[in-house]
Amino acid sequence: NLAAHLLGYTGLMTAEEYTTYKTQGYPMSATVGKDGAELAFEKYLHGTNGTAIVTKNASGTVTGTTYTTEPEPGDQVSLTIDLDLQSAAEQSLTKGIENMKSKSTKTSDAVGGGALVAVDVATGQPLAIANYPTYDLQTLFQSEENYKAVSEADNQPLFNRALLGQYSPGSTFKPCTAIAGLTEGVITTGTRIQCTGTFRKYEDTGYAPKCWIASSGVTHGNDNVTEAIRDSCNIFFYTVGDSLPIDTLARYAAAFGLGEHTGIELPESTGQMATEAVKKKLENTNWYVGDSLQAAIGQSYSLFTPLQLAEYCATIANGGYYYEPYAVTEIVDPSGKTVYTHEAEQPQRVLSAAVAQKATDILVRVISSGTGTSANLNNGQPCAGKTGTSEHGRDLWFCGFTPQYSTAVWAGYRIERETSMYGGSTCGPI
């Protein structure tokens, strides 16, 4: 009853599926993988049907069966998932979201669902992929009523938010903007930018976006990059984004795997990084400077998956290398012969070790004294991370890692809230 979305399920073929599978010798009555690993590794898991000669008497009663070809079982597929960690992840995610639900005082605060991904930063392989709500594979098809209740539920228990959900990253994207700014020479670690609560450079055009803290009547002061990430200061990152061409920022996002196919063998969404081309495709309108400013703080048209955020975080945690995630370690046939072993791809150096270490130090500050103090482990071990909230206030994120244990963890909760709670176009940390 664990990892339902990851394992997936099987079922009878549809007419559309049969047009593909009949070319592979499948009979129309075959059961095939429909989702998750069952779908992704169908050709290994399926096996081969046997044949038999069946004799019946005149009344139709079977009088004998002679097997002429024995059926062959499918291969054994070994996944990267750690069962104990998967169990802990699902329990933690459920407990966290149900605790949030219990504290909701109005419909606008209702929690729709969430996901959690844990990644080994040294390999990129997922160790846990959890979704809320989930479902029980053992009872899903026990009756038509069971399946109907799950498939028609408002909070979509069958939807794999961790791999297929595409959400606005909010302030979790700010470290990417900072890294791009530092690497491109737009800022240095000593650069200070005054937070006045409002970005006034384009005020005469009617566009003056605010920092999330402005509504409280105070500002963040004269922040450097460390303090700006710690405080999640919008003004600092509006300024950096104003100096970076959007295609340059998008190049750094792509290097982290944000808005790109991760390479994992399971069904996944690509998401998208906000760019002029993306806006043109979606709305057929021009790109404005305001779009660049919002993209720099993780807003605008950017949509990423939880897995992508985990790998982005892992790249910082491991010293600057991006590893493509994979779900299968090996596949063994019924005779015990290994027919597939995952060969790790050469990791891509995304940022220098010095910049990665600086980013890690900054993200430790976020948890120790910044916007993410509620994520502090409280056990004497430093934790590094970043919180984020989408512009409309519906997507809340946390991505982080414990440097000692070399494990990057992402957790996000999809929250349905009133936009007015976040002051229109402003964005605040959780």
Side-chain angles (χ1 to χ4, degrees):
N1 60 1
L2 291 172
H5 298 86
L6 177 67
L7 297 176
Y9 53 88
T10 61
L12 293 175
M13 281 187 285
T14 63
E16 183 180 2
E17 288 171 329
Y18 181 59
T19 60
T20 298
Y21 283 118
K22 70 179 180 180
T23 63
Q24 301 171 31
Y26 282 51
M28 187 178 291
S29 60
T31 297
V32 297
K34 295 287 189 175
D35 192 26
E38 291 283 8
L39 171 62
F41 308 110
E42 163 68 25
K43 69 177 183 179
Y44 294 103
L45 294 167
H46 188 80
T48 304
N49 287 348
T51 57
I53 296 174
V54 178
T55 56
K56 301 179 182 180
N57 61 21
S59 64
T61 302
V62 174
T63 59
T65 301
T66 303
Y67 289 96
T68 56
T69 306
E70 291 291 331
E72 296 181 6
D75 299 333
Q76 176 176 293
V77 176
S78 297
L79 303 179
T80 63
I81 299 302
D82 180 285
L83 191 63
D84 291 336
L85 188 59
Q86 179 70 28
S87 177
E90 292 192 16
Q91 291 178 41
S92 177
L93 187 62
T94 298
K95 181 179 178 181
I97 292 183
E98 291 184 352
N99 182 51
M100 295 174 74
K101 283 184 174 183
S102 69
K103 294 179 179 179
S104 299
T105 57
K106 53 185 178 180
T107 304
S108 60
D109 284 335
V111 182
L116 185 153
V117 176
V119 177
D120 183 340
V121 304
T123 62
Q125 67 182 37
L127 302 176
I129 297 177
N131 286 274
Y132 179 95
T134 187
Y135 59 95
D136 190 340
L137 282 169
Q138 299 177 88
T139 62
L140 182 64
F141 296 108
Q142 273 187 351
S143 68
E144 185 176 340
E145 291 74 19
N146 280 8
Y147 179 75
K148 184 175 181 181
V150 174
S151 62
E152 296 181 2
D154 291 339
N155 53 4
Q156 298 179 288
L158 293 177
F159 183 54
N160 187 344
R161 290 166 167 84
L163 300 187
L164 297 175
Q166 303 174 80
Y167 309 114
S168 175
S171 296
T172 58
F173 187 76
K174 289 174 180 174
C176 181
T177 302
I179 288 167
L182 289 167
T183 308
E184 295 293 318
V186 169
I187 56 171
T188 68
T189 55
T191 300
R192 289 191 172 273
I193 296 172
Q194 184 70 40
C195 174
T196 60
T198 303
F199 188 76
R200 301 187 182 281
K201 182 175 179 179
Y202 302 103
E203 194 170 25
D204 58 344
T205 68
Y207 183 71
K210 296 182 179 297
C211 188
W212 66 268
I213 203 172
S215 60
S216 64
V218 297
T219 68
H220 289 123
N222 198 27
D223 276 0
N224 60 24
V225 65
T226 298
E227 295 158 346
I229 293 180
R230 178 198 67 191
D231 299 336
S232 203
C233 178
N234 287 358
I235 303 303
F236 188 97
F237 292 100
Y238 287 148
T239 306
V240 176
D242 188 49
S243 302
L244 281 171
I246 189 59
D247 288 342
T248 299
L249 186 57
R251 176 163 49 85
Y252 280 85
F256 281 114
L258 298 173
E260 303 286 328
H261 275 299
T262 67
I264 198 167
E265 308 95 326
L266 301 168
E268 67 167 342
S269 295
T270 306
Q272 63 192 28
M273 171 63 194
T275 62
E276 185 174 359
V278 165
K279 184 180 182 183
K280 195 73 174 177
K281 179 181 178 181
L282 293 175
E283 299 185 358
N284 196 29
T285 56
N286 294 328
W287 183 266
Y288 299 106
V289 66
D291 295 314
S292 293
L293 301 188
Q294 292 302 318
I297 66 166
Q299 307 296 340
S300 187
Y301 300 90
S302 292
L303 298 171
F304 306 136
T305 69
L307 176 62
Q308 289 173 351
L309 261 290
E311 298 296 344
Y312 153 63
C313 189
T315 302
I316 297 172
N318 69 29
Y321 289 97
Y322 178 81
Y323 291 85
E324 284 194 357
Y326 58 97
V328 171
T329 56
E330 69 173 4
I331 300 175
V332 178
D333 72 13
S335 70
K337 179 183 176 182
T338 299
V339 297
Y340 171 84
T341 300
H342 176 79
E343 294 183 8
E345 299 285 338
Q346 188 68 24
Q348 299 297 311
R349 167 66 83 175
V350 174
L351 63 158
S352 70
V355 173
Q357 184 59 56
K358 181 62 179 177
T360 296
D361 295 341
I362 292 171
L363 295 176
V364 168
R365 291 277 295 275
V366 172
I367 306 303
S368 64
S369 60
T371 58
T373 53
S374 62
N376 199 312
L377 296 178
N378 293 320
N379 64 357
Q381 298 290 346
C383 179
K386 186 73 187 79
T387 58
T389 310
S390 66
E391 183 176 359
H392 48 55
R394 291 179 180 173
D395 306 324
L396 305 184
W397 298 79
F398 172 75
C399 60
F401 55 96
T402 51
Q404 282 79 2
Y405 301 119
S406 297
T407 299
V409 178
W410 175 94
Y413 303 98
R414 183 147 178 80
I415 312 299
E416 300 298 332
R417 285 182 170 173
E418 299 288 349
T419 302
S420 59
M421 292 177 64
Y422 288 83
S425 64
T426 61
C427 168
I430 58 173

